[in-house]
């Protein structure tokens, strides 16, 4: 909610009497001009009755200006945006509320909220009269097919007198931000190489701050809480033992998004780049829901979140907060001017475990070699490669794309070509089948960085 209190409603744009006179409408200016002309004619002709008429004509718009300016209707306004974060193509509702906080009724009010053109037409509302202490509520919807962060506001209020002689426009200073995140698709819970989920059996374990996972006794140390004494172990070892509570360590997953400008052709909601962004968002949400510690990495080498070991979302971080942080980043991510994938490779080189899910644009021979070196790390690696030439033509993969895929697969990647109109859930299943087939062919039962 973005309230506009009495100060903001009092009119942030007062500007003095001269500004109030500039608010005269065509009718008000006509009355004033007619009154002045009548007064001049009355003076020249010596007609006192005509002077009275001219005085009345000129006084009426001036009185309206004075009343409208000096009354300063104190109208409190607020805006409520629900929800403040939506996926591309979804709608959000904006509710505006106006409160008359004085003992005087208002005249005709016209509300206008400023919204970016991509969210739809600029909303306008007319309120006839607000009684003393009364309120009015209106609402409108906004929708965007393009991800991003869009400001809503400021709210403008136009005041007018009952005779239509003067209009004053005043603006509130508060505004809200609507975040449009990429579309996400639910992915099937497939499994590669028989691997477990993020919290599966056989994972390394780390001490927990609190919990009831596993109890491993250790020797008593000065300052330990006596409530943590493990009496069974104390009796067994003949010395005071306390519980050391532990919990499974989350398996790591890196979602790599290639944002190189040279890697994609076209723009708009149906472009290859937007498909890659949406795919990365879907993978982030899916892996977090499966219990993985996830980080989002781009070709620039920047990692989100930037906390925890190797930039992963720590075990203590709520899944919802981590997902919101990465989705907000993807909402505003744009093309980079990086010449290649070297910087993200340097970031990955220090990490030797965990699953790697990559969304690549066009790969030339040099960048394919960099991607091959990425696979030298431990853990499974899945690549979705978008071929802009095949995407724009609406056909299948080109010969160059097939050659790049072959090189990636030989290096150990589970690599798939993404064609125009491809659906990520189906590609996700194909990746699982391809990984299983390659594991069987290689006589392997899975790798420690498997995914599910």
């Amino acid at each position: 909610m973005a309230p506009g209190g009495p100060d903001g409603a009092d009119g942030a744009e007062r500007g003095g009497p001269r500004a109030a006179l500039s608010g005269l409408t065509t009718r008000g200016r006509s009355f004033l001009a007619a009154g002045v002309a009548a007064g001049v004619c009355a003076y020249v002709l010596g007609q006192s009755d005509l002077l009275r008429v001219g005085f009345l004509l000129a006084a009426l718009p001036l009185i309206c200006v004075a009343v409208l300016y000096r009354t300063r209707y104190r109208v409190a306004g607020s805006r409520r945006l629900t929800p403040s974060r939506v996926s591309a193509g979804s709608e959000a509702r904006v509710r505006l509320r106006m409160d008359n906080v004085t003992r005087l009724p208002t005249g005709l009010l016209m509300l206008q909220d400023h919204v970016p053109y991509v969210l739809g037409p600029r909303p306008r509302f007319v309120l006839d009269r607000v009684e003393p202490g009364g309120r009015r509520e209106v609402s409108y919807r906004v929708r965007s097919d393009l991800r991003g962060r869009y400001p809503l506001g400021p709210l403008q209020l136009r005041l007018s007198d009952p005779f239509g002689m003067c209009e004053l426009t005043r603006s509130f200073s508060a505004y809200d931000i609507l975040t449009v995140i990429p579309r996400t698709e639910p992915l099937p819970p497939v499994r590669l190489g028989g691997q477990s989920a993020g919290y599966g059996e056989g994972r390394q374990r780390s001490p927990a701050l609190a919990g009831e996972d596993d109890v491993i006794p250790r020797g008593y140390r000065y300052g330990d809480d006596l409530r943590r004494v493990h009496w069974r172990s104390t009796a067994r070892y003949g010395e005071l033992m306390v519980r050391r509570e532990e919990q499974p360590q989350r398996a790591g997953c890196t979602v790599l998004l290639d944002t190189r400008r040279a890697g994609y052709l076209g723009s708009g909601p149906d472009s290859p780049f937007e498909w890659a962004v949406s795919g990365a968002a879907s993978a982030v949400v899916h892996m977090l829901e499966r219990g993985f510690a996830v980080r989002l990495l781009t070709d620039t080498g920047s990692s989100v979140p930037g906390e925890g070991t190797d930039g992963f979302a720590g075990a203590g971080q709520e899944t919802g907060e981590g997902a919101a942080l990465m989705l907000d980043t993807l909402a505003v991510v744009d093309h980079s001017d990086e010449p290649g994938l070297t910087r993200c490779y340097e970031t990955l080189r220090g990490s030797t475990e965990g699953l790697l899910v990559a969304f690549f644009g066009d790969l030339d021979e040099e960048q394919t070699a960099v991607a091959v070196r990425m696979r030298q790390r431990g853990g499974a690696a899945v690549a979705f490669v978008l071929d802009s030439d095949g995407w724009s033509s609406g056909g299948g993969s080109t010969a160059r794309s097939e050659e790049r895929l072959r090189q990636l697969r030989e290096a150990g990647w589970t690599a798939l070509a993404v064609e125009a109109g491809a659906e990520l859930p189906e590609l996700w299943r194909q990746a699982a089948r391809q990984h299983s087939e390659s594991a069987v062919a290689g006589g392997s039962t899975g790798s420690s960085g498997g995914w599910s």
Side-chain angles (χ1 to χ4, degrees):
M1 177 178 292
D7 292 338
D10 227 9
E13 298 176 0
R14 297 179 185 174
R18 181 175 299 179
L21 288 174
S22 65
L24 283 172
T25 62
T26 302
R27 179 185 299 176
R29 295 176 186 274
S30 300
F31 268 68
L32 184 60
V36 172
V40 172
C41 293
Y43 177 79
V44 173
L45 300 177
Q47 297 290 329
S48 59
D49 293 337
L50 184 59
L51 181 61
R52 296 188 186 95
V53 173
F55 177 78
L56 290 176
L57 290 175
L60 181 59
L62 295 178
I63 292 174
C64 291
V65 169
V67 171
L68 197 62
Y69 173 72
R70 295 186 63 84
T71 301
R72 297 186 186 127
Y73 297 135
R74 295 182 62 193
V75 181
S78 63
R79 180 193 300 103
R80 185 172 61 185
L81 174 62
T82 53
S84 60
R85 181 188 291 108
V86 297
S87 60
S90 301
E91 289 186 342
R93 179 177 289 275
V94 183
R95 291 180 172 86
L96 305 176
R97 192 180 77 180
M98 306 302 298
D99 295 273
N100 183 11
V101 297
T102 67
R103 298 180 179 179
L104 297 175
T106 68
L108 189 67
L109 303 178
M110 190 179 80
L111 304 180
Q112 177 177 277
D113 209 6
H114 287 267
V115 300
Y117 72 95
V118 296
L119 299 182
R122 181 170 297 178
R124 293 182 175 90
F125 305 94
V126 177
L127 305 180
D128 187 12
R129 179 180 179 274
V130 182
E131 65 278 3
R135 72 174 53 170
R136 297 289 186 273
E137 291 189 3
V138 293
S139 65
Y140 64 94
R141 293 180 179 273
V142 290
R143 177 181 181 274
S144 174
D145 292 326
L146 299 175
R147 56 187 176 81
R149 289 171 57 88
Y150 303 103
L152 301 178
L155 177 65
Q156 283 190 341
L157 176 65
R158 181 176 296 176
L159 308 171
S160 64
D161 65 279
F163 301 101
M165 297 290 180
C166 181
E167 290 184 350
L168 294 181
T169 300
R170 296 169 178 172
S171 294
F172 297 89
S173 58
Y175 65 93
D176 288 281
I177 297 294
L178 174 67
T179 303
V180 181
I181 62 176
R183 292 187 181 93
T184 59
E185 299 181 83
L187 302 180
V190 296
R191 183 171 298 176
L192 278 183
Q195 293 302 309
S196 58
Y199 283 111
E201 296 295 331
R203 299 294 174 188
Q204 296 178 348
R205 317 184 83 81
S206 61
L209 296 178
E212 300 178 357
D213 297 279
D214 295 330
V215 178
I216 301 178
R218 63 168 174 81
Y220 175 82
R221 299 171 187 169
Y222 178 78
D224 284 339
D225 191 347
L226 293 178
R227 290 174 296 181
R228 295 176 56 191
V229 173
H230 195 252
W231 298 109
R232 182 179 300 176
S233 299
T234 299
R236 178 180 179 182
Y237 293 102
E239 62 177 309
L240 200 59
M241 306 292 290
V242 296
R243 295 189 304 270
R244 182 178 62 181
E245 297 165 338
E246 298 192 350
Q247 66 180 9
Q249 182 178 357
R250 305 173 79 184
C253 174
T254 299
V255 178
L256 171 61
L257 175 62
D258 178 12
T259 64
R260 294 173 300 121
R261 191 180 305 275
Y264 302 91
L265 296 177
S267 60
D270 298 326
S271 64
F273 180 66
E274 292 301 322
W275 192 98
V277 173
S278 177
S282 301
V284 163
V285 173
H286 176 75
M287 302 311 293
L288 283 172
E289 290 176 348
R290 300 293 294 173
F292 283 77
V294 182
R295 68 172 171 178
L296 174 67
L297 182 66
T298 65
D299 58 294
T300 62
S302 60
S303 177
V304 179
E307 302 176 356
T309 305
D310 293 333
F312 288 91
Q317 183 174 0
E318 293 293 336
T319 299
E321 295 178 0
L325 179 60
M326 285 180 270
L327 290 177
D328 285 350
T329 302
L330 290 173
V332 296
V333 70
D334 200 357
H335 290 291
S336 72
D337 295 325
E338 288 292 322
L341 303 171
T342 304
R343 295 183 65 177
C344 63
Y345 166 69
E346 295 294 334
T347 302
L348 286 171
R349 189 168 58 176
S351 177
T352 58
E353 295 182 357
L355 170 66
L356 173 61
V357 180
F359 294 85
F360 291 124
D362 289 330
L363 296 176
D364 56 20
E365 185 175 353
E366 180 181 356
Q367 303 314 315
T368 303
V370 176
V372 166
R373 292 198 300 271
M374 291 181 188
R375 186 57 190 88
Q376 302 306 317
R377 56 193 293 282
V382 184
F384 300 95
V385 183
L386 290 87
D387 181 11
S388 295
D389 293 336
W391 188 287
S392 58
S393 63
S397 302
T398 61
R400 185 187 66 174
S401 176
E402 290 295 337
E403 174 61 21
R404 305 299 183 229
L405 292 175
R406 184 189 63 80
Q407 296 177 25
L408 292 175
R409 289 165 183 163
E410 289 180 351
W413 282 88
T414 300
L416 293 92
V418 180
E419 302 176 359
E423 296 183 357
L424 183 59
E426 180 58 31
L427 291 176
W428 202 259
R429 295 188 183 91
Q430 293 180 18
R433 291 193 295 268
Q434 184 182 127
H435 181 86
S436 299
E437 294 171 358
S438 61
V440 172
S444 171
T445 58
S447 62
S448 62
W451 64 307
S452 64

